[in-house]
Amino acid sequence: MRLLWELLVLHSVMVCLADDSTLHGPVFLQEPDSVIFPLDSEEKKVKLSCEVKGNPRPTIGWKLNGSSIDVGMDFHYSLLGGALLINNPNQSQDAGTYQCVATNPFGTIVSREAKLQFAYLENFKTRTRSTVSVRQGQGMVLLCGPPPHSGELTYAWIFNEYPTFVHQDNRRFVSQETGNLYIAKVETSDVGNYTCVVTNTVTNSKVLGPPTPLVLRNDGVMGEYEPLLPQGRVQLEQGSLTIANVSLSDAGMYQCVAENRHGVIFASAELSVIAIGPDFSKTLLKKLTLVKVGGEVIIECKPKASPRPTYSWKKGKDILRENERITVLDDGSLRIVNVTKADAGSYTCIATNHFGTASSTGSLVVKDPTRVMVSPFSMDVTVGESIVLPCQVSHDHSLDIVFTWSFNGHLIDFEKDGDHFERVGGQDSAGDLMIRSIQLKHAGKYVCMVQTSVDKLSAAADLIVRGPPGPPEAVTIEEVTDSTAQLSWRPGADNHSPVTMYVVQARTPFSVGWQAVSTVPEVIDGRTFTATVVGLNPWVEYEFRVVAANLIGIGEPSSPSEKRRTEEALPEVTPANVSGGGGSKSELVITWETVPEELQNGGGFGYVVAFRPLGTVSWMQTVVASPDAARYVFRNESLPPFSPYEVKVGVYNNKGEGSFSPVTVVYSAEEEPTRAPTTVLARSISASDVEVSWAPPWENQHKGRIQGYEVRCWRHDEKEENAKRIRTVGNQTSTKVSNLRGNALYHLAVRAYNTAGTGPSSAAVNVTTKKPPPSQPPGNIVWNSSDSKIILNWDQVKALDNESEVRGYKVLYRWNRESSTSVIETNKTSVELSLPFDEDYIIEIKPFSDGGDGSSSEQIRIPKISNAYARGSGSSTSSACTLSALSTIMISLTARSSL
């Protein structure tokens, strides 16, 4: 209640603070109330109020039964301010639950629900009611049965004529829940007509029911609506009515009436009293009854008869005498126990009462009993094994037999569980069960059930399944230190094989999955349920789980324990790979690998950086407070360039300082070179390549170490800042600049560099690249073969004016199955090649010049030469074929060359 009050106060404060000058979301000042609208009201309009405050001013909409109302599309809805007006309200369309919805840029709020209901009262449907007759002094009830309505009703009764109303007293009572009139003891003055008057309190409309006449009777017969008093043959007990020694006069309709303040309900029944002689027309004896030897059978005899008949039985034509095995039951059924083959035959039931005699005949067939010959037997198995549970019987082969199996009380579904269960046997008297790849879940009771049309029996066996142990339970961390954790747990199910060992596993935010950890004792036997985990990292959050093992295997792990952080300790791990160097002038840059969080051993972790000039005694120290820091830069204008310093990095945390890393030597930042290279020379070696060389600066004329040289190259029509840059390493004093444009003027300059930057540039030198190589490939390539040789001929390639003159040709060839290519250079337009007998040749030809290699011809495939052709034959046929093939190839190559 206090919380609710605080929320209400807070809401009020927010409303008060949210004035027109403050931007705020919508707030309801008035929410709609439920309305009950009389259908016969002269006012044909309903108003549902809604007032909202907000800045910016909220827009208001309405919902009916959860769906938005489109006020603009429905003519009988309109908005007045925030209120919803419903013109000519209609019960079928407008009754329901309404909500006001207010929205501005800060959000949307929805009002409470308000119900619109329509009040009405229809006329009574029944025009007349039957006369009610009752004996003097008895109690009775007259039912009102109000007509269809909506809204609260009140009830009254008119006695005979208006305005005489029934006055309630100690005998008479009008229920305002149901409208029924109760009279405890009817008197002569109560005789007359009674009319129920129903008033709707919302609409103030009244309707009168049809009159119900009430008369007295003195014939001793129970009257209508006369509710029954417990006396003589009639007894009432907790709503049950019992009539003993029923006679024909008791026939009639009976009603049970139950009423409370929520209403009244009726239950009706008809009592019919009849007298008939025995009749088997609908209850004949079963034509054929089957039973097994030694069993028990009951042959039912249930003719229709009133009063109840007497029964007798015949076997065949002889009267059947009762004995210790044969009994006629009270309901006329015949019971035979310890049945023998001699009991087979026809049996007739004879039923007799005052109105006649009737009989019915059936047959009893006796069959041999079913017996289990091989029962399933209890077994002890291991997970993964397969077994067969036998179930074999002897039975009367004239009867169909059905085998079913149940497991732990449930029938086995061989289709659904076919992966593990299969019915085997192969004959009608065998129903063996095979269980494949047994799992722990298959342990339990198996029952083989055998059924024929005359008997059924079962045989059971228990299956014990041994498997790896179940997961241990309730793994608890009892105590932790900076490097240990005391654990306890409860054993899980051993699955019928004792636990031989427990293994503890741990997981941290830094580990990859679960890892086995060291414990004391080192080996935890199956009777130990506590252990101390050792070798843990301080200030790391751990969770543990336990795995059990037995002779069969390793079980499933337990659920994880709670997460616990070990205590803090001094840091033990120092940073690795302490190094440094480089940086800007007057800087000593020191770097290291950070210590992983799981090895920091506590909070407040940081680094201590110590350094001193090589050969001195005193250390300078600084603290780097960030655990993620991996470098420190010491700046001092007096720091000499490229001077050696001894450096070490230590660690600390909240518990104190740890040790330092091994000492290493780091050089301070060096100065960039101060002199330019000399004697820069450049020459064009092709249309796209230039070779440049230089001499290093004089050593006694510059400062700073030289790590290499940077060559800049830019075309005459380009800006120098966009120059191509190529760097060399070490003492190299020449390099090649490639991918240049042919027949173009280039400028080149060289400068030295080191970690501090680049030095001054040499004076630029100029070089013009050679003209580009010929762009046209060799054409009209023709080949001919003779004595295992190939002779190639082609047209001379002529360079264009802007291309380098052709100096010769390169013939590239390879065997079809090899990837390496051989090259022959020639200044002629023909070449001779030796061919292998059993290989294809792949050949291409291109010109070359001072500007480089020109365009290559397409690849030419020369097929292998057969042995017969290689030997050379003067046959005209061979010559004709060769010339024909040669012509075809020449035409093909000529065509390809001209493309």
Side-chain angles (χ1 to χ4, degrees), residues 313-320 334 342-350 359-364:
W313 283 83
K314 288 183 178 181
K315 182 184 179 188
K317 296 181 180 180
D318 300 326
I319 296 295
L320 192 63
L334 178 65
D343 293 320
S346 64
Y347 288 81
T348 301
C349 175
I350 305 166
S359 65
S360 180
T361 302
S363 295
L364 177 64

Side-chain angles (χ1 to χ4, degrees), residues 472-538:
E473 300 174 351
V475 178
T476 304
I477 304 175
E478 303 290 350
E479 183 182 353
V480 294
T481 66
D482 59 352
S483 62
T484 66
Q486 179 72 37
L487 301 183
S488 66
W489 60 88
R490 292 200 307 265
D494 66 5
N495 293 328
H496 306 289
S497 179
V499 175
T500 57
M501 182 177 65
Y502 289 101
V503 176
V504 178
Q505 298 175 337
R507 180 171 65 182
T508 73
F510 316 105
S511 64
V512 180
W514 291 91
Q515 307 290 334
V517 291
S518 301
T519 59
V520 175
E522 184 176 358
V523 178
I524 309 170
D525 62 40
R527 298 182 301 277
T528 302
F529 311 121
T530 62
T532 301
V533 182
V534 296
L536 302 179
N537 292 327

Side-chain angles (χ1 to χ4, degrees), residues 14 40 64 125 300 368 371 373 495-496 545 591 594 662 672 748 776 780 785 791 845 869:
M14 289 177 64
D40 56 355
L64 170 57
K125 303 298 183 184
E300 292 184 339
D368 291 328
R371 292 185 175 86
M373 305 304 293
N495 293 328
H496 306 289
R545 70 182 188 184
T591 62
T594 57
E672 64 272 10
L748 296 99
Q776 291 296 317
N780 291 331
S785 62
I791 300 173
I845 306 170
Y869 176 66

Side-chain angles (χ1 to χ4, degrees), residues 366-388:
V366 181
K367 296 288 187 178
D368 291 328
T370 305
R371 292 185 175 86
V372 176
M373 305 304 293
V374 182
S375 299
F377 51 90
S378 297
M379 301 179 69
D380 192 326
V381 298
T382 302
V383 166
E385 292 182 349
S386 297
I387 63 166
V388 173

Side-chain angles (χ1 to χ4, degrees), residues 244-298:
N245 298 323
V246 175
S247 64
L248 290 172
S249 62
D250 294 317
M253 294 298 299
Y254 290 77
Q255 272 192 306
C256 174
V257 183
E259 180 181 6
N260 62 13
R261 65 187 185 89
H262 298 292
V264 60
I265 59 174
F266 297 82
S268 303
E270 179 182 3
L271 174 60
S272 298
V273 182
I274 59 176
I276 59 173
D279 181 7
F280 281 101
S281 60
K282 294 184 179 180
T283 56
L284 290 171
L285 262 64
K286 192 174 181 181
K287 288 186 176 181
L288 182 65
T289 302
L290 298 176
V291 67
K292 67 178 179 178
V293 172
E296 175 182 322
V297 65
I298 295 178

Side-chain angles (χ1 to χ4, degrees), residues 315-605:
K315 182 184 179 188
K317 296 181 180 180
D318 300 326
I319 296 295
L320 192 63
R321 306 296 181 185
E322 293 188 72
N323 55 37
E324 66 276 5
R325 291 196 312 112
I326 301 174
T327 308
V328 178
L329 303 179
D330 290 342
D331 63 356
S333 298
L334 178 65
R335 179 176 181 234
I336 306 175
V337 298
N338 294 326
V339 174
T340 67
K341 289 278 189 177
D343 293 320
S346 64
Y347 288 81
T348 301
C349 175
I350 305 166
T352 302
N353 68 6
H354 299 302
F355 300 98
T357 299
S359 65
S360 180
T361 302
S363 295
L364 177 64
V365 177
V366 181
K367 296 288 187 178
D368 291 328
T370 305
R371 292 185 175 86
V372 176
M373 305 304 293
V374 182
S375 299
F377 51 90
S378 297
M379 301 179 69
D380 192 326
V381 298
T382 302
V383 166
E385 292 182 349
S386 297
I387 63 166
V388 173
L389 293 177
C391 185
Q392 299 177 12
V393 300
S394 65
H395 67 100
D396 192 314
H397 289 281
S398 66
L399 300 176
D400 291 332
I401 187 168
V402 176
F403 289 89
T404 55
W405 282 86
S406 69
F407 169 48
N408 289 339
H410 299 283
L411 284 177
I412 295 176
D413 186 335
F414 288 95
E415 291 187 4
K416 181 179 178 182
D417 299 320
D419 290 344
H420 294 286
F421 297 111
E422 182 182 356
R423 196 161 34 210
V424 295
Q427 51 186 333
D428 66 349
S429 58
D432 301 346
L433 172 67
M434 173 178 278
I435 311 176
R436 293 194 188 90
S437 186
I438 291 175
Q439 306 297 308
L440 288 172
K441 64 182 180 181
H442 295 139
K445 191 178 191 65
Y446 289 82
V447 180
C448 173
M449 294 167 286
V450 186
Q451 184 170 356
T452 68
S453 55
V454 299
D455 59 359
K456 63 180 179 178
L457 65 163
S458 62
D462 291 319
L463 186 63
I464 297 174
V465 181
R466 300 184 186 277
E473 300 174 351
V475 178
T476 304
I477 304 175
E478 303 290 350
E479 183 182 353
V480 294
T481 66
D482 59 352
S483 62
T484 66
Q486 179 72 37
L487 301 183
S488 66
W489 60 88
R490 292 200 307 265
D494 66 5
N495 293 328
H496 306 289
S497 179
V499 175
T500 57
M501 182 177 65
Y502 289 101
V503 176
V504 178
Q505 298 175 337
R507 180 171 65 182
T508 73
F510 316 105
S511 64
V512 180
W514 291 91
Q515 307 290 334
V517 291
S518 301
T519 59
V520 175
E522 184 176 358
V523 178
I524 309 170
D525 62 40
R527 298 182 301 277
T528 302
F529 311 121
T530 62
T532 301
V533 182
V534 296
L536 302 179
N537 292 327
W539 200 239
V540 172
E541 188 176 66
Y542 282 88
E543 54 183 336
F544 301 93
R545 70 182 188 184
V546 180
V547 180
N550 58 17
L551 294 177
I552 297 175
I554 299 174
E556 293 292 323
S558 68
S559 298
S561 68
E562 62 175 337
K563 296 179 180 179
R564 287 277 294 275
R565 187 185 288 272
T566 51
E567 296 181 349
E568 294 180 301
L570 286 174
E572 297 178 353
V573 176
T574 59
N577 293 331
V578 177
S579 182
S584 301
K585 183 179 178 181
S586 303
E587 289 184 346
L588 175 64
V589 179
I590 302 169
T591 62
W592 61 88
E593 288 185 8
T594 57
V595 175
E597 184 179 349
E598 65 268 27
L599 301 178
Q600 294 174 3
N601 288 12
F605 184 84

Side-chain angles (χ1 to χ4, degrees), residues 665-678:
V665 175
V666 175
Y667 284 82
S668 61
E670 52 189 341
E671 292 183 353
E672 64 272 10
T674 59
R675 296 284 181 176
T678 62

